[in-house]
Coordinates of all heavy atoms in Angstrom, one line a residue:
Chain T
P17 N -118.6 -55.1 -7.4 CA -119.9 -54.9 -6.8 C -121.0 -56.0 -7.1 O -122.0 -56.0 -6.4 CB -120.4 -53.5 -7.4 CG -119.7 -53.4 -8.7 CD -118.4 -54.1 -8.5
L123 N -117.3 -46.3 -6.4 CA -117.0 -45.9 -7.7 C -118.0 -46.5 -8.7 O -118.3 -45.9 -9.8 CB -115.5 -46.3 -8.1 CG -114.5 -45.5 -7.2 CD1 -113.1 -45.8 -7.6 CD2 -114.8 -44.0 -7.2
L133 N -118.3 -38.1 -7.7 CA -117.0 -38.1 -7.0 C -115.9 -37.6 -7.9 O -114.7 -37.9 -7.8 CB -116.6 -39.5 -6.5 CG -117.7 -40.1 -5.5 CD1 -117.3 -41.5 -5.1 CD2 -117.9 -39.2 -4.3
D144 N -120.8 -48.0 13.4 CA -120.0 -47.7 14.7 C -119.7 -49.0 15.4 O -119.5 -49.0 16.6 CB -120.8 -46.7 15.5 CG -122.1 -47.2 16.0 OD1 -122.6 -48.2 15.5 OD2 -122.8 -46.4 16.7
A258 N -112.6 -20.2 -2.4 CA -111.7 -20.6 -1.3 C -112.0 -19.9 0.0 O -111.6 -20.4 1.0 CB -110.3 -20.4 -1.7

Side-chain angles (χ1 to χ4, degrees):
Chain T
L123 297 184
L133 304 178
D144 60 356

